[in-house]
Amino acid sequence: MSPAPYASDPHRSRGRRHPEPAAPTRTGFQRDRDRIVHSTAFRRLVYKTQVFLNHEGDLFRTRLTHSLEVAQLGRSIARPLGLNEDLVEAIALAHDLGHTPFGHAGQDALNDCMQPHGGFEHNLQSLRVVDQLEERYPLFDGLNLCFETREGILKHCSRANAQRLEEREPGGVGRRFLDRTQPSLEAQLCNLADEIAYNAHDIDDGVRSGLISLEQLEEVQLFERFRRLTLAEHPQLQGRRLLYESIRRMLSAQVYDVIDATQEALRASGVASADAARAAGPLVSFSAPMAAQSGQLKQFLLRNLYRHPQVTETTGRAKLVVRQLFDAYAADPAQMAGGFDARQDRERAVADYIAGMTDRFAAKEHERLTGRALLP
Ligand code: MG
């Protein structure tokens, strides 16, 4: 499929912050994806929790497998829409690089600790990782990615932080949060692919962990529709295969729904360039009925999985680990390795250090510093 006129074109990129000669065989977006795959932060995603703590079992998603699933779904949708698949893949693989250990619990705890010092936002942290924290190149900090990749990584940003970014980089990736415009279609697509991926894999992990049951899922229209269709065709099917087949059909239906609804929105908008798409309001979306069903599924997972007593009990301890790590390093920065101890912006250095940790390194460090094992 040839690129659509509204696709991001690597040959018309707004470029890198530090100019570099083009690669002989790869576009800028392909090169960005490769830089992300080789980064330290990317490798650590394998030991970071998505919902279940990493040590609770080897069967559950981690941030790495989640990111790969987002990239797969993103590419599947990008291709028929004529969007740039390489950019989608780069953004998808990088979108969670700034996540703390212990999933949302770790991030909430770190944000609390950082309230007096400018807060902590994981999207902004993903951007910090690729702009500043990776140390791989002789002449600059970070990975020096293309504007379009960085724009996609910064999915949300508070106005205050957008203003700070704008001061450092006028007209850069913070600008759209002040102008209230959209990112590229590829970035919009990654946001939706993220949602499709976690809704589906959290059902899977939730059921296999025993925290939610197939019976409970009967109230979720989107899942129940495909469970019934599966059983109509395969009346004997049960257990794992019934679960997987229902999820597989649900994923396909969502992918085709996004493709159809987005094609329709693009046609109606008449946009003919990537920049016109940025100015046109959100264009990549579900149809209205699918958006409602996806919302219902999300609510179900919130009530029955993310707030399940067994999940909140461990995440409660994880929050305490992050809080106590923060206090220990802030009081004695020499406890941090890797040059973080020498930084003048002490609290931000502590936040960067903790955010970069895997679940098990954070638990080990906590035990070393406090003598208590909260997450054995
Ligand atoms: Mg994600």
Side-chain angles (χ1 to χ4, degrees):
M1 166 119 196
S2 57
Y6 35 72
S8 295
D9 179 352
H11 305 292
R12 302 177 65 181
S13 167
R14 285 174 57 181
R16 304 177 188 278
R17 294 199 300 168
H18 308 278
E20 292 182 68
T25 57
R26 291 173 299 164
T27 69
F29 301 155
Q30 290 171 336
R31 208 176 180 192
D32 282 1
R33 174 204 53 211
D34 298 346
R35 289 180 177 197
I36 290 158
V37 168
H38 288 278
S39 69
T40 307
F42 185 73
R43 274 195 305 283
R44 287 184 184 153
L45 293 177
V46 72
Y47 296 115
K48 289 196 184 203
T49 288
Q50 184 74 19
V51 173
F52 294 89
L53 289 194
N54 193 267
H55 64 262
E56 284 179 324
D58 298 337
L59 302 169
F60 303 125
R61 264 65 174 192
T62 68
R63 294 232 172 253
L64 182 67
T65 51
H66 164 70
S67 301
L68 295 172
E69 289 178 40
V70 176
Q72 182 276 316
L73 287 166
R75 289 190 78 135
S76 294
I77 298 170
R79 194 170 306 163
L81 291 174
L83 299 180
N84 190 285
E85 282 184 59
D86 300 316
L87 179 58
V88 167
E89 191 176 17
I91 296 169
L93 295 179
H95 86 283
D96 272 352
L97 289 181
H99 266 287
T100 62
F102 314 130
H104 281 279
Q107 168 193 312
D108 291 347
L110 199 51
N111 187 31
D112 281 347
C113 296
M114 286 297 285
Q115 274 318 303
H117 315 285
F120 179 89
E121 296 176 12
H122 69 264
N123 290 293
L124 192 60
Q125 190 68 13
S126 297
L127 187 70
R128 280 175 69 73
V129 168
V130 300
D131 277 359
Q132 287 164 259
L133 297 174
E134 282 286 324
E135 297 178 321
R136 305 190 77 80
Y137 293 90
L139 299 177
F140 47 76
D141 288 336
L143 303 177
N144 197 31
L145 303 180
C146 296
F147 171 86
E148 293 76 9
T149 309
R150 299 174 56 239
E151 172 196 41
I153 290 171
L154 192 62
K155 171 173 160 184
H156 300 294
C157 184
S158 66
R159 230 188 135 72
N161 280 326
Q163 237 132 20
R164 265 173 236 144
L165 283 171
E166 179 66 14
E167 281 158 30
R168 284 208 301 272
E169 184 191 355
V173 290
R175 188 73 226 169
R176 76 178 175 90
F177 298 96
L178 305 172
D179 292 349
R180 299 187 185 285
T181 55
Q182 296 298 311
S184 70
L185 295 168
E186 286 82 359
Q188 294 180 40
L189 170 52
C190 282
N191 294 344
L192 202 52
D194 188 19
E195 182 179 325
I196 297 172
Y198 64 66
N199 279 340
H201 65 52
D202 289 350
I203 292 183
D204 182 12
D205 286 351
V207 171
R208 284 183 306 110
S209 66
L211 297 187
I212 52 181
S213 66
L214 280 176
E215 291 68 47
Q216 268 177 300
L217 277 163
E218 281 173 21
E219 69 174 84
V220 180
Q221 288 170 34
L222 187 57
F223 181 84
E224 182 58 10
R225 176 154 47 109
F226 294 105
R227 192 186 69 94
R228 285 191 187 187
L229 282 170
T230 303
L231 280 175
E233 268 178 58
H234 308 281
Q236 308 303 323
L237 209 61
Q238 49 179 329
R240 216 179 283 176
R241 282 188 203 240
L242 175 59
L243 175 67
Y244 290 153
E245 180 61 14
S246 309
I247 292 176
R248 192 184 69 74
R249 289 175 186 227
M250 188 183 91
L251 276 173
S252 296
Q254 286 176 292
V255 164
Y256 297 130
D257 182 89
V258 173
I259 293 166
D260 291 344
T262 303
Q263 249 154 5
E264 187 49 46
L266 285 164
R267 240 194 319 270
S269 73
V271 295
S273 72
D275 277 334
R278 283 184 175 87
L283 289 168
V284 180
S285 69
F286 284 130
S287 66
M290 186 61 90
Q293 293 191 357
S294 170
Q296 197 217 358
L297 167 54
K298 236 190 218 177
Q299 284 304 315
F300 172 87
L301 288 169
L302 183 67
R303 280 197 317 274
N304 296 288
L305 183 62
Y306 311 143
R307 291 187 188 152
H308 189 288
Q310 211 168 305
V311 172
T312 53
E313 197 274 326
T314 25
T315 54
R317 281 185 282 138
K319 280 185 184 180
L320 200 58
V321 166
V322 168
R323 158 61 74 183
Q324 293 181 345
L325 275 178
F326 186 90
D327 291 343
Y329 293 131
D332 184 8
Q335 296 297 331
M336 294 187 289
F340 289 87
D341 53 326
R343 276 174 45 182
Q344 295 305 303
D345 53 344
R346 182 183 289 199
E347 285 80 13
R348 186 58 62 189
V350 172
D352 286 340
Y353 190 57
I354 294 176
M357 291 179 177
T358 62
D359 291 10
R360 53 183 192 186
F361 183 67
K364 237 171 64 189
E365 274 292 277
H366 177 266
E367 202 176 330
R368 180 179 74 83
L369 292 164
T370 66
R372 294 174 65 203
L374 284 182
L375 296 166

